[in-house]
Amino acid sequence: MSAEAPLSPAATPDPKPLIIAGREFRSRLMTGTGKYANFDLMRRSIAASGSEIVTVAVRRVQTNAPGHEGLGEALDWKTLWMLPNTAGCKTAEEAIRVARLGREMAKLLGQEDNNFVKLEVIPDAKYLLPDPIGTLQAAEQLVKEGFAVLPYINADPLLAKRLEEAGCATVMPLGSPIGSGQGIRNAANIQIIIENASVPVVVDAGIGTPSEAAQAMEMGADALLINTAIAQAQDPVLMGYAMGLATQAGRIAYLSGRIPVKGYASASSPLTGTVTG
């Protein structure tokens, strides 16, 4: 049963807020707009998650694809920051063209200074894995045109560094294939990306549960992007709320510093001063 009361994770003080391309955000959870049963459910789920950055598939809005008719007007862009994405683009050329359309769409909806784009170049329709060469080519051109580029990539540390050097605002390695709900299958490589990145690392795709969201944040990821796990949950509003809390919990845990893993037991209570028979 969906929660009727408005839900939103409580704001948690963070000594190092999320900053992307000079813009500061309180929430470290980004959400999507696809796969919801209706716009009302989408609005309530996003609000419950506490998300401030919301992705919009430019091509699907432009073509009025099923479920996307009127999507641009369905959300309050005075309180949310639009992240136009190039979903559906198979080549760098397509992605560059759609990114330009996305920037114009954001302006028409009142975000005059929005140069953000989530860059997706995905030629493979079955596994939806991003093309590393096309992504780098498109990113280099879009950075030249003044975009804040957030590229969706495989968990490839070398590619992540190349994109950072090209001027991307973030890198967005996948946890596992889009919509698969497989969780974090590339933890070792994501950890390398996090350790070597000087821009925010956003784990994108594959997260299915709040525990997986918390896991990604505990690793040191700066943010998450979650869509399917919320939109297709039995109760998307409650799942949005849970994902928002998990993102916060994982971040706080990372900042707190976990205890080291040991190969032996360590008593919680002191051994001195105990009663002996």
Side-chain angles (χ1 to χ4, degrees):
M1 183 174 67
S2 180
E4 294 301 322
L7 299 171
S8 182
T12 303
D14 192 328
K16 187 180 178 184
L18 177 64
I19 298 175
I20 300 175
R23 191 174 186 91
E24 186 174 310
F25 300 94
R26 293 167 298 166
S27 173
R28 291 177 178 269
L29 174 60
M30 306 178 188
T31 49
T33 50
K35 303 183 180 180
Y36 284 96
N38 55 64
F39 285 162
D40 179 63
L41 198 57
M42 175 189 70
R43 281 190 290 264
R44 291 194 294 127
S45 301
I46 292 171
S49 76
S51 173
E52 295 173 287
I53 302 176
V54 179
T55 64
V56 174
V58 177
R59 287 185 70 161
R60 291 170 190 149
V61 171
Q62 294 282 329
T63 59
N64 284 321
H68 290 75
E69 305 95 330
L71 175 59
E73 293 74 31
L75 291 168
D76 182 1
W77 299 114
K78 293 183 177 67
T79 60
L80 298 171
W81 187 249
M82 181 185 293
L83 177 56
N85 74 54
T86 64
C89 294
K90 297 181 178 180
T91 67
E93 292 74 21
E94 278 185 287
I96 292 166
R97 184 170 65 253
V98 170
R100 293 167 180 158
L101 290 172
R103 180 156 62 181
E104 293 307 310
M105 182 174 72
K107 288 180 179 179
L108 288 172
L109 292 171
Q111 297 188 358
E112 294 281 341
D113 58 341
N114 190 340
N115 291 315
F116 280 42
V117 62
K118 184 193 175 194
L119 175 60
E120 298 182 22
V121 181
I122 302 177
D124 166 43
K126 183 176 182 180
Y127 298 104
L128 299 178
L129 296 174
D131 172 9
I133 298 170
T135 300
L136 180 59
Q137 290 172 339
E140 289 173 337
Q141 179 59 37
L142 290 170
V143 168
K144 289 178 183 176
E145 295 184 19
F147 283 89
V149 181
L150 290 73
Y152 171 64
I153 61 171
N154 269 301
D156 180 341
L158 296 178
L159 176 60
K161 183 53 67 174
R162 285 288 301 274
L163 287 161
E164 180 183 328
E165 291 169 350
C168 288
T170 71
V171 289
M172 303 181 74
L174 59 85
S176 54
I178 293 173
S180 69
Q182 293 177 22
I184 309 299
R185 291 294 184 93
N186 306 300
N189 276 16
I190 291 174
Q191 193 73 66
I192 294 170
I193 293 172
I194 291 169
E195 289 173 2
N196 289 281
S198 299
V199 294
V201 176
V202 184
V203 175
D204 179 13
I207 289 174
T209 65
S211 61
E212 292 161 358
Q215 177 194 355
M217 294 303 293
E218 287 174 13
M219 290 167 57
D222 295 281
L224 308 174
L225 199 161
I226 303 175
N227 182 28
T228 305
I230 297 174
Q232 297 200 326
Q234 291 183 24
D235 189 328
V237 178
L238 280 179
M239 185 59 81
Y241 183 56
M243 288 295 189
L245 292 175
T247 302
Q248 288 188 2
R251 173 65 178 172
I252 296 167
Y254 171 72
L255 293 175
S256 301
R258 62 157 294 148
I259 62 170
V261 177
K262 299 176 182 178
Y264 53 87
S266 177
S268 299
S269 301
L271 298 178
T272 57
T274 56
V275 176
T276 57

